Amino acid sequence: FFYIIRELFITKQTNPIFSHISFILLCSTDPSSIFDTDKIGLFKNAKRVRLSDFSEEQVLHSLNKVRWPDAQKREIAKRVFHWTAGQPYLTMKILEKLGSEPSIDKVDRIVDSLVREDHVLIHALMKELNEDPKALDYLKRILAGETISYFPTRVLEQLKLDMMGFIKCDATGNCVIRNWICHQAVVMFSQYHDDGHDISNEPINSKEKSMNNPEQEIIIHLIKEAITFITNELSQFWRSSRENPKEKE
């Protein structure tokens, strides 16, 4: 797959057919932490873009199309930002669950539900912590208020926690928990973990669905088939353009 992307990148320099093609690889892991990116030419030419969190004003802007009083919009945006610190997924998840009758109390109830029941982000992160005791112990130190300089390029546990989205750098250059939802989730998980539970093969909340149900398996299969199809089509298109360089789109 990487080979095809690399070849298309090289070909687009001389063949205008490919000039409009770009690839975006979305991930929560630094590739250099997995393999030597210097040996894979694709990553030498790639531009890393780190998505920043929303500001409180951007959270408020997300409510522009909602027909609520301006004062209420600002109040809700402020409360959502208090919990998420602008983390995009959590922010949008709360906003989409507010419905037509929003309130501060409802925001708080949604947050409690996310901490206990969200399978897309929270539970997935807890499983990663469960499988990495060193990262969990490091996170507990930060949670306890220990002053630790933010230096993820030198400290492996910091890099892992940063890429998972648990920590960030505060105004003084030290590690802090990313937001209050993460704080609540980590506190709950720590209690659960210290009681001797292992979540590697079980959901935190019994209401959560199994990841191996038939519908999800079908969706995963279709996604794999789609990726295979796109890869094959790009490969054939690339070979065809190489064999017929004068052929136009």
Side-chain angles (χ1 to χ4, degrees), residues 5-61:
I5 296 179
R6 173 64 179 171
E7 289 301 312
L8 285 172
F9 179 81
I10 294 174
T11 305
K12 70 189 294 185
Q13 311 301 317
T14 57
N15 193 328
I17 292 178
F18 298 99
S19 62
H20 64 288
I21 298 179
S22 297
F23 291 90
I24 299 176
L25 303 180
L26 182 63
C27 62
S28 60
T29 301
D30 186 347
S32 63
S33 67
I34 302 175
F35 46 73
D36 187 354
T37 53
D38 289 335
K39 294 181 179 180
I40 301 180
L42 170 68
F43 291 97
K44 290 183 179 180
N45 298 299
K47 180 181 179 181
R48 183 180 178 184
V49 178
R50 179 156 187 156
L51 300 180
S52 58
D53 290 338
F54 297 148
S55 65
E56 187 174 327
E57 285 301 313
Q58 288 173 319
V59 176
L60 178 61
H61 181 74

Side-chain angles (χ1 to χ4, degrees), residues 116-134:
R116 297 174 183 277
E117 301 176 20
D118 179 70
H119 197 92
V120 175
L121 178 65
I122 302 298
H123 182 57
L125 291 178
M126 295 304 107
K127 289 187 71 173
E128 288 194 50
L129 276 183
N130 189 69
E131 295 166 3
D132 195 334
K134 289 185 178 180

Side-chain angles (χ1 to χ4, degrees), residues 103-115:
S103 67
I104 297 297
D105 183 59
K106 189 172 185 179
V107 170
D108 293 347
R109 292 199 305 271
I110 292 171
V111 168
D112 183 68
S113 175
L114 283 174
V115 170

Side-chain angles (χ1 to χ4, degrees), residues 26-226:
L26 182 63
C27 62
S28 60
T29 301
D30 186 347
S32 63
S33 67
I34 302 175
F35 46 73
D36 187 354
T37 53
D38 289 335
K39 294 181 179 180
I40 301 180
L42 170 68
F43 291 97
K44 290 183 179 180
N45 298 299
K47 180 181 179 181
R48 183 180 178 184
V49 178
R50 179 156 187 156
L51 300 180
S52 58
D53 290 338
F54 297 148
S55 65
E56 187 174 327
E57 285 301 313
Q58 288 173 319
V59 176
L60 178 61
H61 181 74
S62 300
L63 298 173
N64 275 352
K65 294 183 179 180
V66 183
R67 296 180 178 179
W68 303 337
D70 289 344
Q72 186 180 33
K73 288 182 183 179
R74 186 163 291 281
E75 182 182 49
I76 294 297
K78 185 178 183 64
R79 190 60 177 176
V80 171
F81 187 79
H82 160 77
W83 281 111
T84 68
Q87 202 273 6
Y89 170 78
L90 294 173
T91 298
M92 300 312 295
K93 197 70 175 177
I94 294 172
L95 294 182
E96 73 179 25
K97 287 178 174 290
L98 278 173
S100 58
E101 298 180 358
S103 67
I104 297 297
D105 183 59
K106 189 172 185 179
V107 170
D108 293 347
R109 292 199 305 271
I110 292 171
V111 168
D112 183 68
S113 175
L114 283 174
V115 170
R116 297 174 183 277
E117 301 176 20
D118 179 70
H119 197 92
V120 175
L121 178 65
I122 302 298
H123 182 57
L125 291 178
M126 295 304 107
K127 289 187 71 173
E128 288 194 50
L129 276 183
N130 189 69
E131 295 166 3
D132 195 334
K134 289 185 178 180
L136 176 58
D137 289 341
Y138 201 94
L139 186 59
K140 286 182 177 179
R141 290 168 56 194
I142 299 172
L143 188 66
E146 182 177 340
T147 301
I148 304 176
S149 296
Y150 182 79
F151 213 151
T153 57
R154 295 291 181 87
V155 182
L156 180 59
E157 283 70 29
Q158 277 192 34
L159 176 63
K160 291 178 180 178
L161 293 170
D162 181 66
M163 296 304 294
M164 280 190 263
F166 279 116
I167 65 172
K168 63 182 180 180
C169 182
D170 68 6
T172 61
N174 295 317
C175 296
V176 291
I177 303 298
R178 186 174 181 181
N179 54 51
W180 279 106
I181 291 182
C182 283
H183 184 280
Q184 296 285 79
V186 173
V187 169
M188 183 180 293
F189 171 77
S190 295
Q191 295 172 347
Y192 191 84
H193 184 271
D194 292 343
D195 287 339
H197 295 284
D198 184 347
I199 69 166
S200 58
N201 293 310
E202 62 174 295
I204 291 178
N205 191 290
S206 60
K207 295 180 181 180
E208 296 199 10
K209 298 179 180 179
S210 168
M211 287 296 289
N212 296 318
N213 68 56
E215 290 184 0
Q216 289 175 330
E217 289 183 355
I218 291 173
I219 292 173
I220 292 172
H221 174 73
L222 290 174
I223 291 174
K224 289 181 178 179
E225 288 293 314

